[in-house]
Amino acid sequence: MDDKELELRKEVQRQKIREIRQNAQLKSLESQLKTEKEANKHFEELERTLKEIQQVVDSWDRKYENTPKDGISLRKSL
C-alpha cells in the first residue's frame, strides 16, 4: 500500500468520524428540543391554570367588594 492509498483511507476514516460526531450532536439537539417542547407544554398549561384561578379570584373580588370588612356593620343593619 503506498502513501496515497494510506492517506486516502485515513481521510475516509476522518470523514466517517466527522459524520458520526455530527449525528451524535444532532441526536443530542433533538433530545434537548423534545425536552424543551415538553417543558413548554407544561408551562403553558400552568399559565392557563393560573389565568383561570385569577379569573375566579377576580370574580370573588367583584362579588364581595361591597361586603363590609367587619361583621359589626352587618349586624347593625339587621
Side-chain angles (χ1 to χ4, degrees):
M1 183 179 300
D2 64 3
D3 288 343
K4 285 186 179 182
E5 288 179 13
L6 183 60
E7 194 56 40
L8 183 60
R9 282 187 170 196
K10 284 182 181 180
E11 184 54 39
V12 168
Q13 290 300 317
R14 286 187 208 113
Q15 182 61 31
K16 286 181 182 179
I17 290 169
R18 282 192 289 270
E19 289 174 5
I20 291 169
R21 186 181 309 128
Q22 287 174 345
N23 286 338
Q25 289 172 338
L26 282 175
K27 288 188 184 287
S28 176
L29 289 173
E30 288 172 349
S31 175
Q32 287 176 346
L33 182 61
K34 182 180 176 184
T35 302
E36 288 178 12
K37 283 182 178 180
E38 289 173 359
N40 284 340
K41 280 183 186 178
H42 291 295
F43 284 129
E44 289 170 0
E45 187 176 324
L46 285 172
E47 197 172 74
R48 280 193 301 275
T49 302
L50 287 173
K51 283 180 183 178
E52 290 172 4
I53 292 170
Q54 187 61 52
Q55 288 175 348
V56 169
V57 169
D58 289 346
S59 72
W60 290 348
D61 286 347
R62 285 190 301 277
K63 186 174 182 180
Y64 295 109
E65 66 186 0
N66 294 326
T67 302
K69 293 185 177 159
D70 58 359
I72 296 170
S73 56
L74 260 181
R75 288 187 201 122
K76 287 182 181 176
S77 65
L78 292 175

